């Protein structure tokens, strides 16, 4: 059932496995996005350990918005890369576009949240070896990324492993971080900090590599390099033919915007995160992966079991795929943030929240996991001041929600300019932030559904009715009386965004009337 | 005489040709730096048209320093890339690590300043074609970069050419530019602007591609794409077996810091640079290359002919190589800037001026091209206010020159932190900016040589003696009387930078005494 064009393979559907059956450097983006891992706190795009031209490496921490300069809008910054590893087998860099690759397969196991990738690679020099890569972003421990590599050469080889923390990453060229501090502890644990340039959020990364062979842990001395915005360790290991070398890289990611970082100093955060990293590095990959899989079972699969009766195995796979990504992208831990239109899987839409939350995301949680739905509603309620401001700025009353929403007090964050008009050669103006107004009613739609389904009267009393009233007031002030003596909503963008400046758009009018 | 390790080939020494005889993606940096082109106004690192992992693409305009944030020092920003081209032959991306490459050769002709690269490439799909790339940075027209590609397939193929202006480049992760405006004129000419974030310098790029076959210019309709920080045109061309398609990409680069841009508005610069680009694009590659070669002959080779009597051809080549790079890196057009320690060939040393100018660069110009030497001296004189400030900040008198120097009023720009100490795991402090003080006497050494060799009494009366006196005053204030009753210069870094905090360093003391 492999799709030739994308190399996706759904034959493991019964085992909840989504696979890529071959490697094509022209198709990197597909699995980077589809196999994205995360836990709502952070999202890790599924770039490969070895680097390729055209790759997109992304690590986002929810809610850490930053603005590059006055001409740009706030966005989720692309944090330091911790995944990349340069592996050299007898001097030849592991690179699937070189030499020969047999039996390549990459799998995302939706049940456990683990991504595995295996291949037998023969270097251009003729050395063959089996590689197996595993990784998780822990659903149990929100700050942990764990990787494991097993390497079995068919000839005696020297393997060089170079890996660390790379803060040279940008959002398509925009650098959101000032370079921070680089430290090596105990000749083994690398620490890197970076701070967002405008919002002033500190990021703390701690990582270390440990090596194992069949006799147990193999202590190795590495060589440290610190370059601009990066810190790396290089290990040189002799591995005899047929023997398996296993190594683990376990990384922690924290920020000063974390709820439990409030009031903690930078120095104290450095110390505390280093200690936490030491603890999880000691646990090791297998224990962390098991613990995370248990969290997936407990919080998702056993919590919302879905049985699909279908003759087609992929129907259930598709549904589980959606459930998986809902938990990867939703910041269930913190009501000061919401879901981005592209989740935490890539730079598109800048991590901003659109009406997509209320239409596509919230209903799932409202019906199955109302505690999370409530967090998403609390976010909207907390952003009322911004909605008041937007209404006022446009000379309306009440609350007008931003088309795109980021940190609570960011207000409207829709970019003003988009792609080129092919005819005129000029960038086109994005009107959504100005006049795609149905968002305000959409927010209420989600709220009302939450309230009627869950019966959470307390939330409605505390917050919900206020939000409903303020939006209703907005709609009344937004209407204009026409020559026909009727009220009209003029000059909007409806859900069909290809039609701008529409009068009395059906969806907008209907929703406004309902609101 | 090919050096196996670097693939460099000096067999063309008699013809002033420096060559690379094969392609190795692990050795990209070598020719990127060695075959760097420029004209003192700008420097273009010799990255290949097709992109590779590990490449370093750099375009610098002299004197356009910018500071990323308060923790970094000012540096020459890496401007938008205009060289890169994605070429696809029947869908296969031109990439020398794929398929088969025969007869690869890249040459820098020192006499003409032209870089050529040729190869017969067979794609993994089996389509073979001859590629020839040529490029210059015009020595005659300081704002012009010109490229030419000739393509001759052995089978009927569809060639897709995608190229434009890419402002996503950074200095190892630090982004020095705000995104500017993107425009397409006449369906053909791409314009991109970018502005440095702190120093506020506007950069203006204009570029266009033209196609030719044996019947003359071949008008082609391209498809425009504008992404974040980049603008590209994509052309799809059918090329029959055995026919040659030739295309040219001619680019202009201007900034608001250019001497002749003073008082010109942004809009006017957009208009003016577009017009200039149209003019040089009309001239075409061959005429521009010829004109530039003539400038090399007139300004360099005929101006300072050097005859080397040696049995080894490479002796003369080495000397000409040095002469070539002296003109590539020296901003002879503008006395507000000086020579960077790595010229304009890469990010290292950030474009900063060190004592290297007076020791290694200035003497050549003093003896052969005194008008240029004078410009470099004028730069030092104009930076006296910064030297006064540095002395005062350190509680000395007179003028203490910065160890690293950038824009005239930047003052000391030596970074404070460097690479890791392997033992402690901590970044090491760079003491040069604090106590590598011989630079102050070195500046005077260069000045005195200029004055005695050229007899330029006017410059000495106007500026030189003032500089000499102020530095002498500094040295006197810098000395401390010891218990032995003698004057000492304590706690310096001498030219041997591996020894920090030295008392009475021989070189420093001798030079200070002489000064």
């Amino acid at each position: 059932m492999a799709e030739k064009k994308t190399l996706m393979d759904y034959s493991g559907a019964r085992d909840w496995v989504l696979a890529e059956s071959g490697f094509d450097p022209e198709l990197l983006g597909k699995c980077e996005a589809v196999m994205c891992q995360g836990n709502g706190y952070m999202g890790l795009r599924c770039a490969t350990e070895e680097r390729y031209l055209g790759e997109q490496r992304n690590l986002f921490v929810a809610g850490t918005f930053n603005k590059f300069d006055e001409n740009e809008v706030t966005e989720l910054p692309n944090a330091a890369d911790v995944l990349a590893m340069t592996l050299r087998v007898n001097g030849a860099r592991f690179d699937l576009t070189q030499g020969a690759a047999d039996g390549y397969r990459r799998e995302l196991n939706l049940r456990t949240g683990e991504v595995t990738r295996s291949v037998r690679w023969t270097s251009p020099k003729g050395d063959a070896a089996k590689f197996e890569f595993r990784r998780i972003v822990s659903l149990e421990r929100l700050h942990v990324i764990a990787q494991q590599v097993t390497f079995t050469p068919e000839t005696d080889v020297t393997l060089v492993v170079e890996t660390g923390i790379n803060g040279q990453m940008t959002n398509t060229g925009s650098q959101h971080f000032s370079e921070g501090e680089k430290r090596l502890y105990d000749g083994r644990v690398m620490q890197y900090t970076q701070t967002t340039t405008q919002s002033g959020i500190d990021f703390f990364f701690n990582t270390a590599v440990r090596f194992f062979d069949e006799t147990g842990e193999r202590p190795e001395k590495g060589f440290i390099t610190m370059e601009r915005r990066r810190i790396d360790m290089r290990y040189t290991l002799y591995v005899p033919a047929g023997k398996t070398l296993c190594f683990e890289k376990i990384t922690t990611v924290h920020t000063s915007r974390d709820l439990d970082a409030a009031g903690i100093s930078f120095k104290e955060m450095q110390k505390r995160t280093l200690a936490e990293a030491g603890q999880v590095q000691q646990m090791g990959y297998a224990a962390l992966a098991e613990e995370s899989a248990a969290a997936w079972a407990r919080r998702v699969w056993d919590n919302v079991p879905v049985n699909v009766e279908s003759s087609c195995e992929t129907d259930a796979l598709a549904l589980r795929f959606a459930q998986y990504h809902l938990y990867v992208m939703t910041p269930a831990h913190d009501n000061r943030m919401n879901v981005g239109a592209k989740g935490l899987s890539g730079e598109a839409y800048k991590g901003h929240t659109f009406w997509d939350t209320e239409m596509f995301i919230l209903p799932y949680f409202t019906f199955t996991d109302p505690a999370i739905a409530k967090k998403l509603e609390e976010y909207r309620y907390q952003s009322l001041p911004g909605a008041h401001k937007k209404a006022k700025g446009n000379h309306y009353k009440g609350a007008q929600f931003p088309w795109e929403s980021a940190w609570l007090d960011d207000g409207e964050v829709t970019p003003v300019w988009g792609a080129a008009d092919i005819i005129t050669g000029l960038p086109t103006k994005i009107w959504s932030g100005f006049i795609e107004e149905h968002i305000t009613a959409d927010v209420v739609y989600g709220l009302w559904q939450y309230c009627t389904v869950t019966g959470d009267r307390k939330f409605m009393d505390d917050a919900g009715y206020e939000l409903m009233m303020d939006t209703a007031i907005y709609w009344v002030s937004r209407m204009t009386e026409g020559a026909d003596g009727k009220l009209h909503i003029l000059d909007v963008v409806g859900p069909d965004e290809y039609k701008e400046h529409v009068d009395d758009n059906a969806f907008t009018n209907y929703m406004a009337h309902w609101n």
Side-chain angles (χ1 to χ4, degrees), chain A:
Chain A
M1 216 191 307
E3 284 182 19
K4 194 163 172 252
K5 210 183 149 195
T6 65
L7 298 169
M8 295 307 293
D9 176 352
Y10 307 116
S11 62
R14 187 189 294 265
D15 298 321
W16 305 33
V17 167
L18 197 74
E20 180 190 45
S21 60
F23 179 80
D24 182 344
E26 300 278 341
L27 300 175
L28 296 172
K30 177 78 178 180
C31 282
E32 282 176 2
V34 162
M35 298 191 181
C36 171
Q37 295 170 292
N39 53 27
Y41 172 79
M42 62 182 162
L44 181 65
R45 195 169 162 93
C46 197
T48 55
E49 284 75 10
E50 71 282 9
R51 302 193 66 173
Y52 296 99
L53 213 61
E55 66 180 7
Q56 185 62 52
R57 309 188 83 82
N58 287 136
L59 171 63
F60 299 111
V61 178
T64 58
F65 294 99
N66 189 67
K67 194 167 163 169
F68 176 77
D69 68 16
E70 281 312 302
N71 310 312
E72 296 195 4
V73 295
T74 186
E75 69 183 325
L76 277 189
N78 189 14
D81 179 69
V82 298
L83 283 186
M85 297 178 175
T86 303
L87 306 175
R88 287 180 190 274
V89 180
N90 280 345
R93 187 169 59 79
F94 175 64
D95 173 351
L96 295 173
T97 71
Q98 301 298 308
D102 306 308
Y104 176 91
R105 196 169 175 85
R106 175 158 53 170
E107 297 189 346
L108 164 62
N109 185 323
L110 297 171
R111 196 194 304 262
T112 60
E114 187 179 42
V115 169
T116 55
R117 190 165 62 110
S118 54
V119 66
R120 176 179 176 271
W121 182 66
T122 309
S123 82
K125 295 181 179 179
D127 297 300
K130 181 89 195 297
F131 292 79
E132 189 170 86
F133 301 91
R134 300 180 161 268
R135 68 169 75 148
I136 57 154
V137 174
S138 174
L139 191 66
E140 179 65 27
R141 297 173 192 259
L142 297 184
H143 303 283
V144 174
I145 297 170
Q147 295 169 271
Q148 187 190 65
V149 184
T150 55
F151 171 77
T152 315
E154 296 172 15
T155 51
D156 297 352
V157 299
T158 298
L159 176 72
V160 177
V161 178
E162 190 159 15
T163 190
I165 307 165
N166 179 0
Q168 294 178 4
M169 314 310 290
T170 65
N171 289 55
T172 342
S174 289
Q175 176 56 263
H176 285 290
F177 294 98
S178 290
E179 184 172 10
E181 294 184 14
K182 287 167 264 189
R183 285 292 302 267
L184 179 72
Y185 294 95
D186 305 328
R188 210 174 58 82
V189 185
M190 294 170 268
Q191 185 176 71
Y192 181 73
T193 66
Q194 52 180 188
T195 303
T196 58
T197 53
Q198 167 260 337
S199 51
I201 304 167
D202 304 313
F203 281 56
F204 303 85
F205 302 88
N206 294 273
T207 196
V209 185
R210 290 169 70 197
F211 295 86
F212 304 87
D213 59 22
E214 75 279 10
T215 64
E217 184 160 0
R218 180 172 157 172
E220 292 292 338
K221 260 193 101 147
F223 183 83
I224 177 80
T225 57
M226 291 187 194
E227 287 172 35
R228 190 175 186 179
R229 294 180 180 269
R230 62 183 299 171
I231 172 169
D232 290 281
M233 288 290 281
R234 187 172 71 240
Y235 295 93
T236 303
L237 306 112
Y238 172 73
V239 190
K243 294 287 180 189
T244 294
L245 176 80
C246 174
F247 59 95
E248 299 181 358
K249 182 182 184 186
I250 294 172
T251 307
T252 58
V253 182
H254 294 79
T255 85
S256 60
R257 192 162 262 188
D258 299 350
L259 280 170
D260 59 4
I264 313 291
S265 73
F266 185 88
K267 288 257 168 260
E268 182 59 27
M269 280 295 284
Q270 283 180 306
K271 223 169 111 180
R272 184 198 275 210
T273 61
L274 180 70
E276 184 174 331
Q279 196 187 340
V280 292
Q281 282 154 8
Q282 209 49 48
M283 284 179 67
Y285 182 86
L288 290 166
E290 193 179 333
E291 186 189 67
S292 176
W296 276 101
R298 189 177 69 250
R299 288 186 41 196
V300 185
W301 312 121
D302 297 346
N303 189 33
V304 190
V306 180
N307 292 309
V308 178
E309 287 179 24
S310 163
S311 60
C312 182
E313 296 278 359
T314 53
D315 291 346
L317 187 74
L319 213 136
R320 281 169 183 139
F321 178 72
Q323 282 182 285
Y324 168 83
H325 276 288
L326 280 164
Y327 283 86
V328 165
M329 71 175 69
T330 303
H333 62 293
D334 191 334
N335 69 10
R336 301 169 303 166
M337 44 199 77
N338 204 294
V339 182
K342 202 183 159 66
L344 297 167
S345 70
E347 290 177 20
Y349 306 110
K350 302 176 187 295
H352 294 171
T353 298
F354 293 65
W355 67 315
D356 308 51
T357 290
E358 275 75 13
M359 297 294 137
F360 309 132
I361 310 291
L362 183 67
Y364 172 86
F365 291 113
T366 294
F367 283 96
T368 66
D369 212 335
I372 295 179
K374 187 174 178 181
K375 290 257 167 84
L376 298 174
E377 283 304 327
E378 286 167 343
Y379 169 85
R380 290 294 195 188
Y381 178 70
Q382 290 181 90
S383 41
L384 259 185
H388 288 140
K389 214 167 86 181
K390 182 168 179 183
K392 202 169 173 185
N394 290 331
H395 307 292
Y396 303 129
K397 290 178 181 162
Q400 180 186 15
F401 275 90
W403 176 246
E404 297 186 25
S405 184
W407 188 245
L408 291 171
D409 49 20
D410 283 341
E412 180 62 73
V413 291
T414 308
V416 175
W417 297 103
D421 180 306
I422 293 159
I423 309 300
T424 64
L426 283 165
T428 50
K429 186 161 182 176
I430 299 175
W431 284 99
S432 309
F434 299 96
I435 55 172
E436 189 153 356
E437 307 189 29
H438 62 83
I439 175 73
T440 297
D442 306 335
V443 167
V444 179
Y445 169 85
L447 170 67
W448 188 244
Q449 190 185 56
Y450 169 77
C451 149
T452 50
V453 170
T454 64
D456 185 351
R457 288 296 293 264
K458 182 162 184 337
F459 178 73
M460 290 306 288
D461 289 343
D462 291 349
Y465 291 124
E466 180 184 342
L467 193 157
M468 288 180 85
M469 284 304 295
D470 280 2
T471 51
I473 289 167
Y474 158 72
W475 283 117
V476 172
S477 76
R478 175 62 177 84
M479 296 177 194
T480 43
E481 198 176 326
D484 58 2
K486 292 179 181 169
L487 292 174
H488 297 273
I489 302 178
L490 305 178
D491 193 26
V492 302
V493 176
D496 171 6
E497 296 184 329
Y498 293 93
K499 308 283 187 305
E500 293 167 343
H501 307 297
V502 174
D503 293 340
D504 289 325
N505 168 260
F507 183 82
T508 307
N509 279 20
Y510 183 89
M511 290 294 284
H513 178 261
W514 171 86
N515 190 170

